[in-house]
Amino acid sequence: MTQQTETMTKPITEIWAKRPVIISGPCSAESEEQVLQTAKELAATGKVDVLRAGIWKPRTKPGMFEGIGVKGLPWLVKARQETGLPIAVEVATARHVENALQFEVDILWIGARTTVNPFSVQEIADALKGTEVPVLIKNPINSDIELWSGGIERLFKAGVKNVGMIHRGFSNFGNTEFRNAPMWQLPIEMKRRYPGMLLICDPSHICGNRTGLASISQKSIDLGFGGLMIESHVDPDNAWSDAKQQITPAVLKEMLSNLVWREESSEEQEFLNALAKLREQINQIDDELLSLIGQRMKVADQIGQYKKDNKITILQTNRWNEILSKAFKKGEKLGLSQDFITKYFDAIHMESINHQNKIMND
Ligand code: PEP
Ligand code: MN
């Protein structure tokens, strides 16, 4: 035991309640030296609250580095003693939970490939019964919010009191800008379902590269996320896993310093008054928009009746293309993206079709 160098670790409840909470460390623990060096450099930034490191690595393909295993846990314990940083590891089985608890790991997290499997989540939840350890659950790799939510419920049912969520993006086919598409509407919905629950963004696994980390982190802060989990490594280019997305502790420090942190709300009266006025305008506009859409559907109903009487199909592709191209042009002038116009008109069009379908078949 390195008694002389031991630093006090803050109580985990304090860390859990801190906003923002910053978790960082290597994708995988590789050697004692790598873990200790990374931990020391992270602690020296003064900006990191928790040290993370993967001990068991779920890799997509066999033959990739699958984690150092239990022998890496004492390295993390030593890093905690020397830096005072609490430690976090990923668990995927009851055995992992058992091993992690033997070493008094402070925070556990459930990986994206595990959240998809209710059997695995249940096994982990059962292994956690009667313990106090906080657990973070990553979103499943597929964009199924009920699986994510189901995982949380399983942990609650097992009596885990401190449950948090990590948004790490969703698998997609083909090359896109992201390794895992953020699909922000999903974490936003989870924040709505679980108000007050810690929600952390993991920009490393969303981006899969270093260049996008800052903007994804900022976006999550702007949306009111409670913290970040970012992979860091003393020698990122030579990391044994996820080399492309890891950054050095020095780069992390610089990035964190440049982020604009925001409060969830303000007590300042002037701000609250201005906000209330603008929100009243938004409410009015939303109200008018809905009335107009209702009117539009009434017209669509009438057209449906004519189509029915004249035995004409509901879908008129030429007409639809005409509407869309006009809307793109107008949208551009108004600063509305093509993506938005497409989604908006798709929704309107589907509702019109459903209305007309009803009329035709009534
Ligand atoms: C990780 O955090 O290193 C990891 C494997 O992440 P995910 O479960 O999000 O793929
Ligand atoms: Mn990783």
Side-chain angles (χ1 to χ4, degrees):
M1 180 111 153
T2 48
Q3 203 66 54
Q4 308 91 319
T5 50
E6 188 161 342
T7 314
M8 274 295 285
T9 303
K10 273 194 199 155
I12 198 64
T13 43
E14 207 176 294
I15 302 276
W16 193 257
K18 181 179 172 283
R19 297 290 180 276
V21 56
I22 307 294
I23 304 176
S24 189
C27 178
S28 305
E30 299 164 7
S31 67
E32 180 171 327
E33 199 191 8
Q34 170 245 10
V35 170
L36 288 181
Q37 193 58 30
T38 310
K40 281 182 196 158
E41 291 185 20
L42 287 173
T45 67
K47 293 181 180 293
V48 172
D49 304 298
V50 179
L51 173 70
R52 65 148 278 160
I55 293 291
W56 302 280
K57 298 305 298 179
R59 307 314 297 171
T60 304
K61 299 260 174 70
M64 294 167 101
F65 174 58
E66 297 202 313
I68 207 76
V70 184
K71 85 171 197 209
L73 286 169
W75 307 340
L76 284 174
V77 171
K78 194 164 176 193
R80 173 173 57 194
Q81 282 167 355
E82 295 194 5
T83 62
L85 292 175
I87 52 178
V89 302
E90 174 178 344
V91 289
T93 66
R95 186 62 186 270
H96 295 165
V97 173
E98 222 176 90
N99 289 149
L101 293 177
Q102 274 161 10
F103 286 87
E104 295 176 20
V105 170
D106 303 280
I107 296 178
L108 305 181
W109 86 83
I110 297 178
R113 289 162 196 75
T114 307
T115 311
V116 285
N117 185 343
F119 288 133
S120 300
V121 178
Q122 192 57 52
E123 178 186 318
I124 293 169
D126 290 339
L128 284 165
K129 275 185 187 150
T131 68
E132 293 285 317
V133 67
V135 181
L136 291 160
I137 179 159
K138 287 199 175 195
N139 66 256
I141 48 178
N142 57 328
S143 55
D144 183 342
I145 202 160
E146 299 310 332
L147 266 179
W148 198 1
S149 168
I152 293 172
E153 302 303 325
R154 284 176 200 279
L155 292 170
F156 277 156
K157 276 199 167 160
V160 180
K161 281 192 260 341
N162 291 315
V163 179
M165 308 176 263
I166 304 177
H167 168 231
R168 54 76 81 192
F170 303 87
S171 287
N172 46 17
F173 176 70
N175 278 334
T176 64
E177 191 187 345
F178 301 106
R179 177 176 174 192
N180 292 292
M183 299 188 187
W184 294 102
Q185 66 275 26
L186 279 87
I188 289 172
E189 169 60 12
M190 292 300 273
K191 201 165 170 342
R192 193 191 63 77
R193 287 192 193 184
Y194 301 98
M197 185 182 286
L198 177 59
L199 169 62
I200 287 178
C201 182
D202 168 352
S204 303
H205 292 89
I206 290 177
C207 296
N209 61 43
R210 294 167 194 153
T211 50
L213 297 177
S215 73
I216 291 293
S217 301
Q218 186 64 57
K219 177 138 190 182
S220 74
I221 295 167
D222 296 346
L223 289 171
F225 279 51
L228 297 167
M229 182 192 254
I230 299 180
E231 287 184 343
S232 57
H233 192 290
V234 273
D235 184 8
D237 286 336
N238 292 307
W240 296 1
S241 60
D242 289 352
K244 285 196 198 128
Q245 69 199 31
Q246 302 202 59
I247 51 177
T248 61
V251 170
L252 177 77
K253 181 180 181 184
E254 169 87 14
M255 195 191 103
L256 292 174
S257 312
N258 290 330
L259 294 173
V260 181
W261 301 97
R262 304 188 196 282
E263 300 292 331
E264 190 112 28
S265 62
S266 162
E267 297 298 306
E268 213 205 304
Q269 208 47 49
E270 204 175 313
F271 163 81
L272 290 174
N273 289 343
L275 194 67
K277 272 194 195 137
L278 290 170
R279 284 189 169 155
E280 190 42 47
Q281 278 187 45
I282 294 269
N283 290 347
Q284 293 262 359
I285 294 172
D286 279 345
D287 210 53
E288 283 167 33
L289 280 174
L290 276 182
S291 302
L292 281 171
I293 291 172
Q295 281 177 37
R296 191 192 191 282
M297 289 307 152
K298 290 234 156 57
V299 178
D301 286 349
Q302 288 179 36
I303 295 179
Q305 189 59 48
Y306 279 116
K307 285 178 180 165
K308 180 179 183 180
D309 297 345
N310 293 283
K311 297 205 167 50
I312 301 285
T313 57
I314 293 179
L315 183 60
Q316 300 281 312
T317 312
N318 287 345
R319 168 74 182 140
W320 180 231
N321 284 335
E322 183 193 313
I323 291 181
L324 265 187
S325 64
K326 253 198 209 159
F328 284 155
K329 277 198 200 109
K330 177 145 188 172
E332 202 183 341
K333 281 195 198 123
L334 295 169
L336 304 171
S337 68
Q338 279 213 0
D339 181 46
F340 168 72
I341 297 279
T342 310
K343 282 186 189 139
Y344 171 74
F345 272 97
D346 273 349
I348 298 254
H349 192 219
M350 265 329 287
E351 184 69 8
S352 270
I353 288 177
N354 291 340
H355 270 245
Q356 298 191 350
N357 231 323
K358 204 158 167 251
I359 286 179
M360 288 222 174
N361 299 305
D362 254 359

